[in-house]
Amino acid sequence: MDLSSAFERALPSPGWPLAGRHGTLAVFLASDAWSRWDDEAFTLLDAGERERVLSKRRPDDRKLTALAYACHRLLLSAVLECAPWEVPLGRDARGCPVVAGDRLLTSLSHAEGLVAIAVSPQGPVGIDIEPAARAGEMEEIAGRVCHPRELDALSALPGRQRERALLSLWVRKEALLKAAGIGMAVEMDRFEAPPDRALALPGNGRHGTATIRLFDGGDRFLAAVAAAPGAITSAWLAPAD
Ligand SMILES: CC(C)(COP(=O)(O)OP(=O)(O)OC[C@H]1O[C@@H](n2cnc3c(N)ncnc32)[C@H](O)[C@@H]1OP(=O)(O)O)[C@@H](O)C(=O)NCCC(=O)NCCS
């Protein structure tokens, strides 16, 4: 079976991606489950995407990035009902993925064997995913991630809980920064990022508000989506055996 068919079969139902025409859609996947399509993923990419993949030094990063870009195209092609290579997917000057000539906004995250993709026709969208194991690295950067009020609130928590809360803050803030289209242009300690309420987009990128929703993947991952309020249609995608 080819990658496109496997991706289609992994979706909850054939019409499932069409939900992305009305509301926010998010998918999450682990690259090791999809590794049999590593080579094929690369063939679905355009010249710019291939160049970015080949610029990665580590083979694992090349594989993960190729899979992430291919799945990004496959999800958008399912929403837009066109072939993956016909998806007008590009990047703006800040590196933010854009779908040309369409009111669909989109966001991508890839980290250590994990991929997360979001699309929304409702306004700015940002997604971030991190492996749960990264919680152990968060303590040393707490001062750079937390707004002083968040730092105060976290100080009451015991070790493990505090590390997990810090990782949660990190993914929520990255998702909000990506929705703003500005990457790390605004320091994380300059703004707060509580979940489930409308927040002004930070910085001088896209204007408007977004609501952050947290996706707790237990021992596997933490992810967040910043998007318009309302339900997010989401799925963990694994190929059928
Ligand atoms: C956006 C960013 C914070 C995410 O980094 P990360 O957590 O390490 O990686 P993630 O996998 O979660 O996200 C990366 C993806 O976010 C998207 N992205 C990149 N820049 C973005 C931006 N300004 N806004 C929204 N999304 C962006 C891209 O799809 C990128 O994938 P790619 O690098 O393969 O093209 C980081 O890429 C960044 O800060 N980029 C901006 C760089 C910048 O400002 N450079 C200025 C010159 S130094």
Side-chain angles (χ1 to χ4, degrees), residues 143-205:
R144 283 196 284 130
V145 176
C146 299
H147 183 276
R149 273 192 293 269
E150 293 167 336
L151 213 48
D152 270 358
L154 286 176
S155 65
L157 296 177
R160 279 287 177 84
Q161 238 174 294
R162 182 178 147 91
E163 288 175 355
R164 183 91 174 170
L166 278 166
L167 187 64
S168 165
L169 252 187
W170 174 273
V171 294
R172 282 166 12 221
K173 290 192 174 190
E174 275 233 13
L176 194 65
L177 288 166
K178 285 180 172 180
I182 56 171
M184 290 296 200
V186 172
E187 300 293 337
M188 284 187 173
D189 60 357
R190 298 290 165 85
F191 63 96
E192 293 175 85
D196 305 319
R197 72 167 90 139
L199 303 170
L201 294 174
N204 60 357

Short mmCIF file of all heavy atoms in Angstrom, two decimals, residues 143-205:
data_model
loop_
_atom_site.label_atom_id
_atom_site.label_comp_id
_atom_site.label_asym_id
_atom_site.label_seq_id
_atom_site.Cartn_x
_atom_site.Cartn_y
_atom_site.Cartn_z
N GLY A 143 12.71 30.01 34.12
CA GLY A 143 12.72 31.47 34.19
C GLY A 143 12.49 32.13 32.83
O GLY A 143 11.97 33.24 32.75
N ARG A 144 12.88 31.44 31.77
CA ARG A 144 12.68 32.01 30.42
C ARG A 144 11.30 31.71 29.86
O ARG A 144 10.82 32.38 28.96
CB ARG A 144 13.75 31.45 29.47
CG ARG A 144 15.10 32.12 29.66
CD ARG A 144 16.00 31.84 28.48
NE ARG A 144 16.52 30.49 28.52
CZ ARG A 144 16.48 29.65 27.50
NH1 ARG A 144 15.93 30.01 26.37
NH2 ARG A 144 16.98 28.45 27.61
N VAL A 145 10.67 30.62 30.39
CA VAL A 145 9.37 30.20 29.85
C VAL A 145 8.21 30.90 30.57
O VAL A 145 7.21 31.27 29.95
CB VAL A 145 9.21 28.66 30.01
CG1 VAL A 145 7.83 28.21 29.54
CG2 VAL A 145 10.31 27.93 29.24
N CYS A 146 8.38 31.09 31.89
CA CYS A 146 7.24 31.55 32.70
C CYS A 146 7.19 33.06 32.86
O CYS A 146 8.21 33.71 33.15
CB CYS A 146 7.33 30.96 34.10
SG CYS A 146 7.28 29.19 34.13
N HIS A 147 6.00 33.59 32.77
CA HIS A 147 5.70 34.95 33.22
C HIS A 147 5.84 34.92 34.75
O HIS A 147 5.57 33.87 35.37
CB HIS A 147 4.27 35.28 32.79
CG HIS A 147 3.84 36.67 33.13
ND1 HIS A 147 3.35 37.02 34.37
CD2 HIS A 147 3.84 37.79 32.38
CE1 HIS A 147 3.07 38.30 34.38
NE2 HIS A 147 3.35 38.80 33.18
N PRO A 148 6.25 36.02 35.40
CA PRO A 148 6.42 35.98 36.86
C PRO A 148 5.22 35.42 37.61
O PRO A 148 5.36 34.68 38.58
CB PRO A 148 6.66 37.46 37.22
CG PRO A 148 7.27 38.04 35.97
CD PRO A 148 6.69 37.29 34.82
N ARG A 149 4.00 35.73 37.15
CA ARG A 149 2.80 35.20 37.85
C ARG A 149 2.73 33.68 37.69
O ARG A 149 2.33 32.97 38.62
CB ARG A 149 1.52 35.84 37.30
CG ARG A 149 1.18 37.15 37.99
CD ARG A 149 -0.23 37.60 37.64
NE ARG A 149 -0.34 37.97 36.23
CZ ARG A 149 -0.16 39.20 35.76
NH1 ARG A 149 0.14 40.17 36.60
NH2 ARG A 149 -0.27 39.46 34.48
N GLU A 150 3.13 33.17 36.52
CA GLU A 150 3.10 31.71 36.31
C GLU A 150 4.17 31.03 37.17
O GLU A 150 3.95 29.95 37.72
CB GLU A 150 3.35 31.39 34.83
CG GLU A 150 2.22 31.85 33.91
CD GLU A 150 2.59 31.84 32.45
OE1 GLU A 150 3.80 31.93 32.11
OE2 GLU A 150 1.66 31.76 31.61
N LEU A 151 5.32 31.69 37.29
CA LEU A 151 6.41 31.15 38.11
C LEU A 151 5.96 31.01 39.56
O LEU A 151 6.20 29.99 40.21
CB LEU A 151 7.60 32.10 38.01
CG LEU A 151 9.01 31.51 38.08
CD1 LEU A 151 9.19 30.30 37.18
CD2 LEU A 151 10.04 32.58 37.73
N ASP A 152 5.23 32.04 40.05
CA ASP A 152 4.69 32.00 41.42
C ASP A 152 3.76 30.81 41.59
O ASP A 152 3.87 30.05 42.55
CB ASP A 152 3.86 33.27 41.69
CG ASP A 152 4.73 34.36 42.25
OD1 ASP A 152 5.93 34.10 42.45
OD2 ASP A 152 4.20 35.46 42.47
N ALA A 153 2.83 30.67 40.64
CA ALA A 153 1.83 29.60 40.75
C ALA A 153 2.50 28.23 40.72
O ALA A 153 2.09 27.31 41.44
CB ALA A 153 0.82 29.72 39.61
N LEU A 154 3.56 28.09 39.92
CA LEU A 154 4.21 26.79 39.78
C LEU A 154 5.06 26.43 40.99
O LEU A 154 5.32 25.25 41.25
CB LEU A 154 5.09 26.77 38.53
CG LEU A 154 4.35 26.69 37.19
CD1 LEU A 154 5.34 26.78 36.05
CD2 LEU A 154 3.58 25.39 37.09
N SER A 155 5.48 27.46 41.73
CA SER A 155 6.41 27.19 42.84
C SER A 155 5.76 26.32 43.92
O SER A 155 6.43 25.65 44.68
CB SER A 155 6.93 28.50 43.43
OG SER A 155 5.85 29.19 44.00
N ALA A 156 4.43 26.31 43.96
CA ALA A 156 3.71 25.52 44.97
C ALA A 156 3.68 24.03 44.61
O ALA A 156 3.34 23.21 45.46
CB ALA A 156 2.29 26.05 45.10
N LEU A 157 4.00 23.69 43.36
CA LEU A 157 3.84 22.29 42.92
C LEU A 157 5.06 21.44 43.27
O LEU A 157 6.20 21.91 43.20
CB LEU A 157 3.63 22.25 41.40
CG LEU A 157 2.36 22.90 40.85
CD1 LEU A 157 2.36 22.82 39.33
CD2 LEU A 157 1.12 22.20 41.42
N PRO A 158 4.84 20.15 43.59
CA PRO A 158 5.97 19.24 43.82
C PRO A 158 6.67 18.91 42.49
O PRO A 158 6.06 19.04 41.41
CB PRO A 158 5.32 18.00 44.41
CG PRO A 158 3.87 18.06 44.02
CD PRO A 158 3.55 19.51 43.80
N GLY A 159 7.96 18.46 42.57
CA GLY A 159 8.85 18.26 41.44
C GLY A 159 8.26 17.79 40.12
O GLY A 159 8.22 18.53 39.14
N ARG A 160 7.78 16.52 40.07
CA ARG A 160 7.29 15.95 38.82
C ARG A 160 6.13 16.74 38.21
O ARG A 160 6.06 16.97 37.01
CB ARG A 160 6.83 14.50 39.05
CG ARG A 160 7.96 13.49 39.06
CD ARG A 160 8.47 13.31 37.62
NE ARG A 160 9.60 12.42 37.55
CZ ARG A 160 9.49 11.10 37.49
NH1 ARG A 160 8.32 10.53 37.48
NH2 ARG A 160 10.57 10.35 37.44
N GLN A 161 5.22 17.15 39.12
CA GLN A 161 4.04 17.88 38.68
C GLN A 161 4.45 19.23 38.08
O GLN A 161 3.89 19.70 37.10
CB GLN A 161 3.14 18.13 39.88
CG GLN A 161 1.75 17.57 39.73
CD GLN A 161 1.00 17.74 41.03
OE1 GLN A 161 1.35 17.13 42.05
NE2 GLN A 161 -0.01 18.58 41.02
N ARG A 162 5.46 19.84 38.74
CA ARG A 162 5.95 21.14 38.28
C ARG A 162 6.61 21.00 36.89
O ARG A 162 6.38 21.82 36.00
CB ARG A 162 6.96 21.66 39.30
CG ARG A 162 7.54 23.01 39.00
CD ARG A 162 8.49 23.41 40.13
NE ARG A 162 9.58 24.21 39.60
CZ ARG A 162 9.57 25.54 39.53
NH1 ARG A 162 8.52 26.20 39.94
NH2 ARG A 162 10.60 26.19 39.04
N GLU A 163 7.38 19.92 36.71
CA GLU A 163 8.03 19.70 35.40
C GLU A 163 6.98 19.54 34.30
O GLU A 163 7.11 20.09 33.21
CB GLU A 163 8.91 18.45 35.46
CG GLU A 163 10.17 18.64 36.28
CD GLU A 163 10.96 17.36 36.42
OE1 GLU A 163 10.49 16.29 35.96
OE2 GLU A 163 12.06 17.42 37.01
N ARG A 164 5.95 18.76 34.60
CA ARG A 164 4.88 18.53 33.61
C ARG A 164 4.14 19.84 33.32
O ARG A 164 3.80 20.14 32.18
CB ARG A 164 3.93 17.47 34.16
CG ARG A 164 2.82 17.05 33.23
CD ARG A 164 3.21 15.88 32.37
NE ARG A 164 2.08 15.42 31.57
CZ ARG A 164 2.18 14.53 30.61
NH1 ARG A 164 3.35 14.00 30.29
NH2 ARG A 164 1.13 14.17 29.91
N ALA A 165 3.89 20.62 34.38
CA ALA A 165 3.20 21.91 34.22
C ALA A 165 4.05 22.86 33.37
O ALA A 165 3.52 23.63 32.56
CB ALA A 165 2.90 22.52 35.58
N LEU A 166 5.36 22.78 33.54
CA LEU A 166 6.26 23.64 32.74
C LEU A 166 6.21 23.23 31.26
O LEU A 166 6.18 24.09 30.37
CB LEU A 166 7.69 23.52 33.25
CG LEU A 166 8.05 24.37 34.47
CD1 LEU A 166 9.36 23.91 35.09
CD2 LEU A 166 8.14 25.84 34.06
N LEU A 167 6.21 21.92 31.01
CA LEU A 167 6.13 21.47 29.62
C LEU A 167 4.79 21.87 28.99
O LEU A 167 4.73 22.28 27.84
CB LEU A 167 6.33 19.95 29.54
CG LEU A 167 6.44 19.40 28.12
CD1 LEU A 167 7.67 19.93 27.39
CD2 LEU A 167 6.48 17.85 28.12
N SER A 168 3.76 21.79 29.80
CA SER A 168 2.43 22.21 29.33
C SER A 168 2.45 23.70 28.95
O SER A 168 1.94 24.10 27.91
CB SER A 168 1.40 21.94 30.43
OG SER A 168 0.21 22.62 30.16
N LEU A 169 3.09 24.51 29.80
CA LEU A 169 3.20 25.94 29.51
C LEU A 169 3.96 26.17 28.20
O LEU A 169 3.59 27.00 27.38
CB LEU A 169 3.97 26.63 30.63
CG LEU A 169 3.24 27.52 31.59
CD1 LEU A 169 4.22 28.21 32.50
CD2 LEU A 169 2.41 28.56 30.84
N TRP A 170 5.04 25.39 28.05
CA TRP A 170 5.89 25.53 26.85
C TRP A 170 5.07 25.26 25.57
O TRP A 170 5.08 26.06 24.64
CB TRP A 170 7.08 24.56 26.93
CG TRP A 170 7.91 24.53 25.70
CD1 TRP A 170 7.69 23.75 24.59
CD2 TRP A 170 9.05 25.33 25.40
NE1 TRP A 170 8.65 24.01 23.64
CE2 TRP A 170 9.49 24.97 24.11
CE3 TRP A 170 9.75 26.31 26.11
CZ2 TRP A 170 10.60 25.56 23.51
CZ3 TRP A 170 10.86 26.90 25.50
CH2 TRP A 170 11.26 26.52 24.21
N VAL A 171 4.34 24.14 25.53
CA VAL A 171 3.59 23.83 24.30
C VAL A 171 2.47 24.83 24.08
O VAL A 171 2.19 25.21 22.94
CB VAL A 171 3.06 22.37 24.25
CG1 VAL A 171 4.18 21.36 24.17
CG2 VAL A 171 2.12 22.03 25.39
N ARG A 172 1.85 25.31 25.18
CA ARG A 172 0.77 26.29 25.02
C ARG A 172 1.32 27.59 24.45
O ARG A 172 0.72 28.21 23.58
CB ARG A 172 0.07 26.52 26.37
CG ARG A 172 -0.87 25.40 26.68
CD ARG A 172 -1.39 25.28 28.07
NE ARG A 172 -1.20 26.35 29.02
CZ ARG A 172 -0.87 26.14 30.30
NH1 ARG A 172 -0.67 24.92 30.76
NH2 ARG A 172 -0.74 27.14 31.12
N LYS A 173 2.49 28.00 24.95
CA LYS A 173 3.06 29.27 24.47
C LYS A 173 3.55 29.15 23.04
O LYS A 173 3.38 30.05 22.22
CB LYS A 173 4.18 29.73 25.42
CG LYS A 173 3.61 30.17 26.75
CD LYS A 173 4.59 30.90 27.62
CE LYS A 173 3.85 31.43 28.86
NZ LYS A 173 4.66 32.36 29.65
N GLU A 174 4.17 28.01 22.72
CA GLU A 174 4.62 27.82 21.32
C GLU A 174 3.43 27.83 20.37
O GLU A 174 3.50 28.39 19.28
CB GLU A 174 5.39 26.51 21.18
CG GLU A 174 6.84 26.64 21.52
CD GLU A 174 7.76 26.13 20.42
OE1 GLU A 174 7.30 25.89 19.29
OE2 GLU A 174 8.95 25.96 20.69
N ALA A 175 2.35 27.17 20.79
CA ALA A 175 1.16 27.13 19.92
C ALA A 175 0.64 28.55 19.69
O ALA A 175 0.28 28.92 18.56
CB ALA A 175 0.09 26.24 20.54
N LEU A 176 0.62 29.36 20.76
CA LEU A 176 0.10 30.73 20.63
C LEU A 176 1.02 31.58 19.75
O LEU A 176 0.55 32.34 18.89
CB LEU A 176 -0.05 31.37 22.02
CG LEU A 176 -0.88 32.64 22.08
CD1 LEU A 176 -2.34 32.38 21.70
CD2 LEU A 176 -0.84 33.26 23.48
N LEU A 177 2.33 31.41 19.92
CA LEU A 177 3.29 32.15 19.09
C LEU A 177 3.17 31.76 17.63
O LEU A 177 3.27 32.59 16.72
CB LEU A 177 4.72 31.90 19.59
CG LEU A 177 5.09 32.57 20.92
CD1 LEU A 177 6.38 31.97 21.48
CD2 LEU A 177 5.25 34.08 20.74
N LYS A 178 2.94 30.47 17.39
CA LYS A 178 2.79 30.02 16.00
C LYS A 178 1.48 30.55 15.40
O LYS A 178 1.43 30.88 14.22
CB LYS A 178 2.83 28.51 15.93
CG LYS A 178 4.23 27.95 16.10
CD LYS A 178 4.12 26.47 16.01
CE LYS A 178 5.46 25.79 15.97
NZ LYS A 178 5.27 24.34 15.88
N ALA A 179 0.41 30.59 16.22
CA ALA A 179 -0.85 31.16 15.71
C ALA A 179 -0.62 32.62 15.30
O ALA A 179 -1.18 33.10 14.31
CB ALA A 179 -1.95 31.05 16.76
N ALA A 180 0.22 33.31 16.07
CA ALA A 180 0.54 34.71 15.74
C ALA A 180 1.45 34.79 14.52
O ALA A 180 1.63 35.87 13.94
CB ALA A 180 1.20 35.39 16.94
N GLY A 181 2.05 33.67 14.15
CA GLY A 181 2.91 33.63 12.95
C GLY A 181 4.29 34.20 13.18
O GLY A 181 5.00 34.53 12.23
N ILE A 182 4.69 34.28 14.46
CA ILE A 182 5.95 34.98 14.75
C ILE A 182 7.03 34.10 15.36
O ILE A 182 8.09 34.60 15.72
CB ILE A 182 5.73 36.18 15.72
CG1 ILE A 182 5.04 35.70 17.00
CG2 ILE A 182 4.91 37.25 15.03
CD1 ILE A 182 4.99 36.76 18.07
N GLY A 183 6.78 32.79 15.47
CA GLY A 183 7.82 31.95 16.07
C GLY A 183 8.25 32.49 17.41
O GLY A 183 7.42 32.87 18.24
N MET A 184 9.55 32.55 17.64
CA MET A 184 10.05 32.95 18.97
C MET A 184 10.36 34.45 19.04
O MET A 184 11.16 34.88 19.88
CB MET A 184 11.33 32.17 19.29
CG MET A 184 11.07 30.71 19.55
SD MET A 184 10.06 30.47 21.02
CE MET A 184 10.43 28.77 21.38
N ALA A 185 9.73 35.26 18.18
CA ALA A 185 10.06 36.68 18.16
C ALA A 185 9.68 37.41 19.45
O ALA A 185 10.20 38.48 19.74
CB ALA A 185 9.39 37.35 16.96
N VAL A 186 8.73 36.87 20.22
CA VAL A 186 8.40 37.45 21.53
C VAL A 186 8.84 36.45 22.59
O VAL A 186 8.55 35.26 22.49
CB VAL A 186 6.88 37.71 21.65
CG1 VAL A 186 6.50 38.12 23.06
CG2 VAL A 186 6.43 38.77 20.66
N GLU A 187 9.55 36.94 23.60
CA GLU A 187 10.02 36.05 24.68
C GLU A 187 8.83 35.45 25.42
O GLU A 187 7.85 36.14 25.72
CB GLU A 187 10.87 36.85 25.68
CG GLU A 187 12.10 37.50 25.08
CD GLU A 187 13.15 36.48 24.63
OE1 GLU A 187 13.13 35.35 25.15
OE2 GLU A 187 13.96 36.83 23.76
N MET A 188 8.94 34.17 25.77
CA MET A 188 7.82 33.48 26.42
C MET A 188 7.47 34.06 27.79
O MET A 188 6.34 33.95 28.24
CB MET A 188 8.14 32.00 26.58
CG MET A 188 8.01 31.22 25.30
SD MET A 188 8.20 29.46 25.65
CE MET A 188 7.81 28.76 24.06
N ASP A 189 8.46 34.65 28.48
CA ASP A 189 8.15 35.16 29.82
C ASP A 189 7.40 36.49 29.78
O ASP A 189 7.05 37.05 30.81
CB ASP A 189 9.43 35.29 30.66
CG ASP A 189 10.44 36.25 30.04
OD1 ASP A 189 10.18 36.76 28.94
OD2 ASP A 189 11.49 36.47 30.66
N ARG A 190 7.14 36.99 28.57
CA ARG A 190 6.44 38.29 28.45
C ARG A 190 4.93 38.16 28.46
O ARG A 190 4.22 39.15 28.52
CB ARG A 190 6.84 38.99 27.13
CG ARG A 190 8.29 39.32 27.00
CD ARG A 190 8.62 40.45 27.98
NE ARG A 190 10.05 40.57 28.16
CZ ARG A 190 10.84 41.27 27.35
NH1 ARG A 190 10.33 41.91 26.32
NH2 ARG A 190 12.13 41.32 27.58
N PHE A 191 4.41 36.95 28.29
CA PHE A 191 2.94 36.81 28.24
C PHE A 191 2.51 35.54 28.96
O PHE A 191 3.32 34.63 29.16
CB PHE A 191 2.44 36.81 26.78
CG PHE A 191 2.95 35.65 25.95
CD1 PHE A 191 2.18 34.50 25.78
CD2 PHE A 191 4.20 35.71 25.34
CE1 PHE A 191 2.66 33.43 25.03
CE2 PHE A 191 4.67 34.64 24.57
CZ PHE A 191 3.90 33.50 24.42
N GLU A 192 1.23 35.51 29.36
CA GLU A 192 0.69 34.32 30.02
C GLU A 192 -0.12 33.51 29.01
O GLU A 192 -0.60 34.07 28.01
CB GLU A 192 -0.19 34.74 31.20
CG GLU A 192 0.63 35.39 32.31
CD GLU A 192 -0.24 35.92 33.44
OE1 GLU A 192 -0.58 35.15 34.34
OE2 GLU A 192 -0.57 37.12 33.40
N ALA A 193 -0.28 32.22 29.28
CA ALA A 193 -0.96 31.37 28.30
C ALA A 193 -1.88 30.36 28.98
O ALA A 193 -1.71 29.15 28.83
CB ALA A 193 0.07 30.66 27.43
N PRO A 194 -2.89 30.86 29.70
CA PRO A 194 -3.84 29.91 30.31
C PRO A 194 -4.68 29.23 29.21
O PRO A 194 -4.97 29.85 28.19
CB PRO A 194 -4.72 30.82 31.18
CG PRO A 194 -4.62 32.18 30.55
CD PRO A 194 -3.26 32.26 29.95
N PRO A 195 -5.03 27.96 29.42
CA PRO A 195 -5.84 27.28 28.43
C PRO A 195 -7.31 27.70 28.49
O PRO A 195 -7.75 28.27 29.49
CB PRO A 195 -5.69 25.79 28.81
CG PRO A 195 -5.42 25.81 30.28
CD PRO A 195 -4.69 27.09 30.57
N ASP A 196 -8.03 27.43 27.42
CA ASP A 196 -9.49 27.51 27.38
C ASP A 196 -10.08 28.90 27.60
O ASP A 196 -11.17 29.04 28.16
CB ASP A 196 -10.10 26.51 28.41
CG ASP A 196 -9.58 25.10 28.18
OD1 ASP A 196 -9.46 24.69 27.00
OD2 ASP A 196 -9.25 24.42 29.17
N ARG A 197 -9.33 29.92 27.24
CA ARG A 197 -9.95 31.25 27.24
C ARG A 197 -9.32 32.10 26.13
O ARG A 197 -8.16 31.86 25.75
CB ARG A 197 -9.85 31.92 28.59
CG ARG A 197 -8.49 32.40 28.99
CD ARG A 197 -8.61 33.30 30.18
NE ARG A 197 -8.51 32.54 31.41
CZ ARG A 197 -7.82 32.97 32.48
NH1 ARG A 197 -7.28 34.16 32.48
NH2 ARG A 197 -7.71 32.22 33.54
N ALA A 198 -10.09 33.04 25.62
CA ALA A 198 -9.60 33.85 24.49
C ALA A 198 -8.42 34.71 24.92
O ALA A 198 -8.49 35.41 25.93
CB ALA A 198 -10.74 34.72 23.96
N LEU A 199 -7.31 34.62 24.16
CA LEU A 199 -6.10 35.39 24.47
C LEU A 199 -5.71 36.23 23.26
O LEU A 199 -5.82 35.75 22.12
CB LEU A 199 -4.94 34.43 24.78
CG LEU A 199 -5.14 33.42 25.90
CD1 LEU A 199 -4.00 32.41 25.90
CD2 LEU A 199 -5.23 34.14 27.25
N ALA A 200 -5.21 37.43 23.53
CA ALA A 200 -4.71 38.25 22.41
C ALA A 200 -3.45 37.59 21.85
O ALA A 200 -2.62 37.07 22.61
CB ALA A 200 -4.39 39.64 22.93
N LEU A 201 -3.31 37.58 20.54
CA LEU A 201 -2.10 37.02 19.94
C LEU A 201 -0.92 37.93 20.27
O LEU A 201 -1.01 39.15 20.10
CB LEU A 201 -2.26 36.90 18.42
CG LEU A 201 -3.31 35.89 17.97
CD1 LEU A 201 -3.49 35.95 16.45
CD2 LEU A 201 -2.94 34.48 18.40
N PRO A 202 0.19 37.37 20.77
CA PRO A 202 1.33 38.22 21.15
C PRO A 202 2.09 38.74 19.93
O PRO A 202 2.03 38.15 18.86
CB PRO A 202 2.22 37.27 21.97
CG PRO A 202 1.83 35.88 21.57
CD PRO A 202 0.41 35.95 21.05
N GLY A 203 2.81 39.87 20.14
CA GLY A 203 3.71 40.36 19.10
C GLY A 203 3.01 41.13 18.00
O GLY A 203 1.84 41.49 18.11
N ASN A 204 3.75 41.37 16.93
CA ASN A 204 3.20 42.18 15.84
C ASN A 204 3.02 41.37 14.56
O ASN A 204 3.25 41.85 13.46
CB ASN A 204 4.07 43.41 15.59
CG ASN A 204 5.48 43.00 15.22
OD1 ASN A 204 5.77 41.79 15.21
ND2 ASN A 204 6.34 43.94 14.91
N GLY A 205 2.65 40.09 14.73
CA GLY A 205 2.35 39.26 13.57
C GLY A 205 0.87 39.37 13.24
O GLY A 205 0.36 40.47 13.05
#
